[in-house]
Amino acid sequence: MKNRIPNLQVALDHSDLQGAVKAAVSVGQEVDIIEAGTVCLLQVGSELVEVLHNLFPDKIIVADTKCADAGGTVAKNNALRGADWMTCICCATVPTMKAALKAIKEVKGDRGEIQIELYGNWTFEEAQTWLDAGISQAIYHQSRDALLAGQTWGEKDLSKIKKLVDMGFRVSVTGGLNVDTLKLFEGIDVYTFIAGRGITEAKNPAEAARAFKDEIKRIWGS
């Protein structure tokens, strides 16, 4: 049986609308999913989502809100602007997550999804409650702060990702990824690789995105 090839998502980790849109235009046709990054959303609001949706109507647009409260309102607002998926932080209550899921599906139908962002301390028991609530996407992080502190991807991370996949989650991974680190995940059914500066700050962003895609296909396509 042929392996499913993971998606490639670009994270627009910019502080300004102009920079985010410029980066999106440079790589949007090369990636599967386009993410409106948290920092830019905090700066300019869901206008960024609307711009990205208008530029790339056929791509999945993610609003990386890391929503912790008012899930229904935040999800509806972003979905009406064009977001297909939205993130909730793992410490949000299950009712907040459920409200977000209900709201995004009311606007986007089956295309609408909520992703749980895994930060800090969380348990697999909690993860089961998310599955029970109808949420099957999770994002496993090496945070920017952890990477700056010298932490790297290791077996502890990989074993957690494998367990989440075995539970039934579609797991995306992110944090300091580059083409060379993709091979660490070989043999794991990763749903999406999320890269930000590793693509958008490359000398040729489109070429960098294609290099990611080529390596993903090399590892998971055989």
Side-chain angles (χ1 to χ4, degrees), residues 16 38 76 93 113 117 161 165 171 177-178 180 184 212-213:
D16 64 294
T38 310
K76 181 179 179 180
T93 65
E113 295 201 44
E117 296 255 12
I161 294 167
V165 171
V171 182
L177 295 178
N178 57 50
D180 293 333
L184 296 173
F212 266 88
K213 293 281 280 188

Side-chain angles (χ1 to χ4, degrees), residues 12-20 37-44 144 197:
L12 303 175
D13 295 324
H14 298 73
S15 295
D16 64 294
L17 181 64
Q18 184 178 3
T38 310
V39 172
C40 201
L41 284 174
L42 288 170
Q43 290 291 102
V44 305
R144 186 188 311 177
R197 291 167 180 78

Side-chain angles (χ1 to χ4, degrees), residues 107-149:
V107 178
K108 288 289 184 173
D110 291 339
R111 188 178 174 97
E113 295 201 44
I114 295 299
Q115 300 173 295
I116 305 301
E117 296 255 12
L118 303 177
Y119 278 107
N121 297 318
W122 55 274
T123 68
F124 289 105
E125 289 76 17
E126 289 171 324
Q128 186 60 53
T129 68
W130 309 330
L131 279 173
D132 294 342
I135 298 169
S136 61
Q137 283 207 59
I139 302 172
Y140 191 95
H141 282 261
Q142 277 281 18
S143 76
R144 186 188 311 177
D145 295 334
L147 291 164
L148 289 172

Side-chain angles (χ1 to χ4, degrees), residues 16-212:
D16 64 294
L17 181 64
Q18 184 178 3
V21 171
K22 182 179 178 181
V25 170
S26 71
V27 300
Q29 299 299 342
E30 305 294 338
V31 301
D32 304 298
I33 301 164
I34 302 171
E35 172 194 321
T38 310
V39 172
C40 201
L41 284 174
L42 288 170
Q43 290 291 102
V44 305
S46 54
E47 178 185 358
L48 173 59
V49 171
E50 185 170 8
V51 172
L52 294 174
H53 173 68
N54 288 337
L55 284 170
F56 302 100
D58 298 326
K59 299 284 184 179
I60 293 171
I61 306 296
V62 181
D64 187 16
T65 60
K66 296 181 174 64
C67 184
D69 197 13
T73 302
V74 177
K76 181 179 179 180
N77 290 346
N78 280 280
L80 289 172
R81 287 289 189 109
D84 301 293
W85 299 350
M86 189 187 84
T87 64
C88 285
I89 196 76
C90 60
C91 59
T93 65
V94 171
T96 290
M97 297 174 183
K98 282 184 173 180
L101 183 64
K102 181 174 183 286
I104 205 164
K105 285 193 172 295
E106 283 176 352
V107 178
K108 288 289 184 173
D110 291 339
R111 188 178 174 97
E113 295 201 44
I114 295 299
Q115 300 173 295
I116 305 301
E117 296 255 12
L118 303 177
Y119 278 107
N121 297 318
W122 55 274
T123 68
F124 289 105
E125 289 76 17
E126 289 171 324
Q128 186 60 53
T129 68
W130 309 330
L131 279 173
D132 294 342
I135 298 169
S136 61
Q137 283 207 59
I139 302 172
Y140 191 95
H141 282 261
Q142 277 281 18
S143 76
R144 186 188 311 177
D145 295 334
L147 291 164
L148 289 172
Q151 295 182 30
T152 57
W153 291 97
E155 188 54 45
K156 183 179 177 182
D157 301 301
L158 300 179
S159 64
K160 286 183 178 180
I161 294 167
K162 289 174 187 175
K163 184 166 181 178
L164 288 165
V165 171
D166 289 342
M167 289 176 69
F169 282 100
R170 286 166 291 151
V171 182
S172 300
V173 296
T174 187
L177 295 178
N178 57 50
V179 172
D180 293 333
T181 57
L182 293 174
K183 61 180 177 289
L184 296 173
F185 302 90
E186 187 169 1
I188 302 175
D189 187 16
V190 173
Y191 186 59
T192 302
F193 286 105
I194 306 171
R197 291 167 180 78
I199 291 176
T200 60
E201 292 188 0
K203 189 173 182 180
N204 184 326
E207 193 174 275
R210 286 192 290 271
F212 266 88

